[in-house]
Amino acid sequence: MARTAREHARTAPKTPAAAPAPGTEDKTSQARRAADPAALTSPRRARRAAEPKRPREPRSRLGHRPDLRPAFETALAYARAWHAEHSHLAAPRDTQHDGYPLGMWLFSQRNRAKQRARDGLPPSPHLNELTAIDPWWNPPWDLHWQRNYYRTRDHVQAGRPFDPAARIPAPSSVLGSWITRACLQYDQLHPDQQHLLNAISITAETAEQWPPPAPRRSPRSRPYLG
């Protein structure tokens, strides 16, 4: 009888193992991973873990890794060349100087400087090299104002007619419109902006000669003339 039972067990079809309950497999995997984190690590990760950590590249006193310094020197050379030609670094973002994207590079440097200021960090030492080229390369006011200032300065240095008190250039022109706003907003400008304006004969006395525009009267307030 025992022999018959053994033969039956050998010839009977095997019953498949029951599937684990939902959620059990995940819990089991998490438990195995917690017990032995390296057990389920891929060979690539295991190889990385076994390798000694590479030391970080030392940073120079200029705030750059040594391998980034040559690229900065190249950009700085283009910045000097642009300044030699235009006497400023307020280049628009799309400026290409001899094929180099100088405008975009200056834009990124300004963003980096402003981000450090927002984080309460001191200016990056290497950015002082840009300040040495142009003290107003990253002014605390809008760069559009700075570009218009340089256009006005170039106008004056070229010997073209210029007399803010006499409304020359005319307020209807692009340059005259900017001069008008500069005079009307003179008291609200940054002291350094006022200093720059003084260099092109726009002073507090000149600004006083520009009365604020009279408020426009709405049609409803006009008197009835019958």
Side-chain angles (χ1 to χ4, degrees), residues 7 15 30-31 35 37 46 48 57 75 77 90 104 106 110 116 123-124 149 166 169 189 197 201 223:
E7 290 179 355
T15 303
Q30 293 175 4
R48 285 184 180 178
E57 293 282 352
M104 182 55 70
L106 288 170
R110 291 187 189 100
R116 289 182 65 86
S124 298
Y149 168 78
L189 296 177
L197 290 173
S201 302

Side-chain angles (χ1 to χ4, degrees), residues 70-133:
F72 181 79
E73 289 288 355
T74 298
L76 207 61
Y78 282 103
R80 292 192 182 100
W82 171 273
H83 184 270
E85 183 177 343
H86 302 276
S87 300
H88 65 80
L89 288 180
R93 195 187 308 185
D94 59 352
T95 297
Q96 296 276 334
H97 188 62
D98 291 339
Y100 185 82
L102 180 62
M104 182 55 70
W105 182 79
L106 288 170
F107 174 76
S108 66
Q109 299 305 308
R110 291 187 189 100
N111 281 346
R112 185 174 302 174
K114 290 173 183 176
Q115 183 60 53
R116 289 182 65 86
R118 284 193 293 267
D119 294 341
L121 300 173
S124 298
H126 72 278
L127 295 182
N128 290 334
E129 297 183 58
L130 284 168
T131 305
I133 298 173

Side-chain angles (χ1 to χ4, degrees), residues 155-197:
H155 179 94
V156 174
Q157 293 179 350
R160 300 189 182 102
F162 183 78
D163 186 351
R167 314 301 200 259
I168 301 173
S172 57
S173 66
V174 175
L175 197 61
S177 176
W178 179 83
I179 294 170
T180 300
R181 291 194 303 274
C183 290
L184 293 176
Q185 300 171 0
Y186 187 89
D187 292 338
Q188 289 76 44
L189 296 177
H190 191 283
D192 288 332
Q193 287 176 291
Q194 295 176 351
H195 177 74
L196 289 172
L197 290 173

Side-chain angles (χ1 to χ4, degrees), residues 36-76:
D36 185 8
L40 299 180
T41 301
S42 66
R44 185 177 180 182
R45 291 185 179 179
R47 186 166 57 253
R48 285 184 180 178
E51 292 177 353
K53 293 184 178 180
R54 298 178 181 177
R56 291 185 176 181
E57 293 282 352
R59 290 184 177 271
S60 70
R61 64 184 181 84
L62 295 170
H64 276 112
R65 296 200 320 261
D67 60 320
L68 296 181
R69 183 65 197 186
F72 181 79
E73 289 288 355
T74 298
L76 207 61

Side-chain angles (χ1 to χ4, degrees), residues 22-37:
T24 307
E25 185 177 0
D26 292 341
K27 293 180 180 179
T28 304
S29 300
Q30 293 175 4
R32 290 177 60 190
R33 191 177 297 110
D36 185 8

